[in-house]
Amino acid sequence: MSFGPPPSAYTQSALAADESRSRRRRRLLGAIAAAVAIVLCVGAGVFWYHSSGDRKGPADAKPARQSPDDVRDNRLSTEKPPVSPEGQTVVNHEEKVPKGRFRYSPGLWATGKIVARGVSNRITGYKIGYSLDPDNTAWTLHLDGPLCAVSHDVTVDGRTAVVVQSAKDSCDQVLVFDLGTGKQLWKQKMPSADFADFSVMNVALTRGVVAVAWGEGSVAYDMDSGRRLWNTTLATSQCHDTGYVGGPVLLALVTCKQADEKTYRVEKLEPRSGRVVWRYPVSKGVQRVYLPSSDPPVIAIAAGDIMVTDLITLNPGTGELQATISLKKYEPECAPADGFGVVDKCTGIAVGRDRVFVMSKDSVGIFKPANHITAFDVRKGTAVATFQGRPFQNVLPVRMNGDDLILYRSSLDDVQPAAIVDWNPRTGKETPYLLFHVPQGDIKYGGKVEDNPEFSFILYQQGHAFFAPYQLEFDDWRKAGSVVSVFGVGTAGLKH
């Protein structure tokens, strides 16, 4: 039985997971002690718009209509506040994990009716609803081998792409499937990918195009037919496409190697031809580069170290430098802890049309807000608004909601609920979308749910919040057992 590719430097080990749990337990004990000490005290304590030029405000603006091939853009369509923020479980699926093993689980996608989960060599869709029927499986797509890479992008009509390891132990198959039905729409063998390795594999979607890069080559396909549009190989140049970020436009991270020196540049590509529209050369000495957003173009760089130190924003039309944002006090979380998607994943960052939202580092003060989220002006790089967490309740940017930010506020006790909140930085208004408790131990319908972005996907889509670990492993490595593969919450005020 296959359990996925071997561990990589980017995959969190069981030891790292144990250390995280220990940190959470210590923090919980601190929270309990603090609660006792201040039992009589009261604890501390999202569509917005920033005017720019002639752009209309939200009251006058009409959402742009997206075509089926467009990648779902959370800045163009907004979530509506629920009838009630009271949360209720809508999915809670467990997987059995053998003794001494773990299963790679890349990929978490959702529509209004289905949440889909990638585990090893299959993708399974689960029905979203308030009936906790253990047999809530809607469909299962069996693959030829383990998942090597998954796209975080989803089209308006519910399609996405993955890369799969073939029988030759090479990550050389790309396929597109429908999230609603689980149907494989097409599959292609990628050229020059006989030795492609999952640890450097990256796949992204832009309008009508699927683009894949793996360090030794790259290829793009027509999303509808699977017809190859263009491809490159490392043999023709010392520079190669390391990875892509999709969405409204396609950006490529290009790596060049000369002797022992490695340099980077970012390129905007014409998706159907691969033609370079503009280039931005990253300064020498940078160790790593990530692309948290294609439009507006935002680059996260590790200058002189492996940890991200700065954000760079570029002019969308020309690729010229607009602003630099220092991240000394922030935690962008760009390292791909799940081992998949090496350039387009920064869980501590969300990017809007003219704002970049970044999660801060944890506070060291026990009675201070655990952390905060700062909104920066994309063009100027200046801080313009801050959303404070609460003592022992961290906040995490999840996604845009028009020009608002949807964020997750965690909780480490059974008194204060976790929350999905919509924040309008222009007015400071907070709108609770969901209030709920994340299971922290064995309960009737499941076990512990991990809501730490270091180890788990956190997704909000069409009124539902989902949590799913990057890999499935039982707490006791010496035993077999069941672990939560995906946990979802919806509002109790809506009927399905």
Side-chain angles (χ1 to χ4, degrees), residues 24-103:
R24 290 172 61 87
R25 282 193 291 268
R26 288 196 296 270
R27 191 162 189 176
L28 175 58
L29 291 175
I32 294 173
V36 172
I38 60 170
V39 66
L40 297 179
C41 297
V42 178
V46 187
F47 186 85
W48 76 272
Y49 182 79
H50 173 76
S51 178
S52 176
D54 295 328
R55 187 183 297 171
K56 295 180 180 180
D60 302 317
K62 294 182 179 180
R65 184 180 296 276
Q66 291 191 278
S67 73
D69 275 351
D70 283 338
V71 175
R72 206 159 55 192
D73 191 339
N74 295 320
R75 301 168 306 174
L76 300 180
S77 60
T78 58
E79 298 270 355
K80 295 181 180 180
V83 174
S84 167
E86 179 186 358
Q88 185 171 333
T89 302
V90 294
V91 64
N92 194 340
H93 183 78
E94 294 188 354
E95 294 269 348
K96 291 184 178 179
V97 180
K99 175 182 177 181
R101 303 297 295 272
F102 58 87
R103 288 179 170 169

Side-chain angles (χ1 to χ4, degrees), residues 211-332:
V212 190
W214 57 91
E216 299 296 322
S218 61
V219 62
Y221 296 94
D222 178 81
M223 191 184 298
D224 288 331
S225 66
R227 177 175 60 89
R228 190 196 311 175
L229 300 173
W230 50 266
N231 68 284
T232 65
T233 60
L234 182 60
T236 60
S237 173
Q238 291 179 316
C239 300
H240 60 276
D241 292 356
T242 304
Y244 302 113
V245 57
V249 300
L250 183 64
L251 291 189
L253 174 62
V254 181
T255 304
C256 299
K257 294 181 180 179
Q258 294 181 338
D260 294 331
E261 186 179 31
K262 182 185 293 186
T263 59
Y264 302 93
R265 66 175 183 255
V266 176
E267 296 179 346
K268 179 180 179 179
L269 304 182
E270 201 291 315
R272 302 198 70 83
S273 68
R275 179 180 63 86
V276 178
V277 178
W278 53 249
R279 289 187 174 97
Y280 174 80
V282 179
S283 300
K284 292 183 178 180
V286 170
Q287 300 300 309
R288 292 184 183 178
V289 179
Y290 302 93
L291 304 177
S293 172
S294 66
D295 185 28
V298 178
I299 306 171
I301 64 170
D305 199 350
I306 61 173
M307 304 302 293
V308 170
T309 56
D310 301 273
L311 289 182
I312 294 173
T313 69
L314 306 178
N315 182 299
T318 65
E320 295 176 320
L321 175 68
Q322 285 193 152
T324 300
I325 301 170
S326 173
L327 298 182
K328 290 181 180 180
K329 299 179 181 180
Y330 296 89
E331 200 77 59

Side-chain angles (χ1 to χ4, degrees), residues 456-478:
S456 183
F457 296 101
I458 300 176
L459 174 67
Y460 185 79
Q461 184 63 36
Q462 292 183 248
H464 305 113
F466 300 99
F467 303 84
Y470 300 139
Q471 66 184 37
L472 305 182
E473 56 183 339
F474 196 57
D475 278 345
D476 190 337
W477 195 251
R478 299 165 296 179

Side-chain angles (χ1 to χ4, degrees), residues 334-379:
C334 290
D338 59 349
F340 299 85
V342 294
V343 302
D344 64 342
K345 181 181 178 184
C346 291
T347 57
I349 298 175
V351 182
R353 292 184 294 183
D354 51 11
R355 292 291 180 265
V356 180
F357 300 84
V358 189
M359 177 178 69
S360 77
K361 294 180 179 180
D362 285 354
S363 170
V364 296
I366 190 170
F367 297 115
K368 294 182 179 180
N371 73 337
H372 62 271
I373 296 171
T374 299
F376 293 92
D377 185 288
V378 165
R379 300 172 187 82

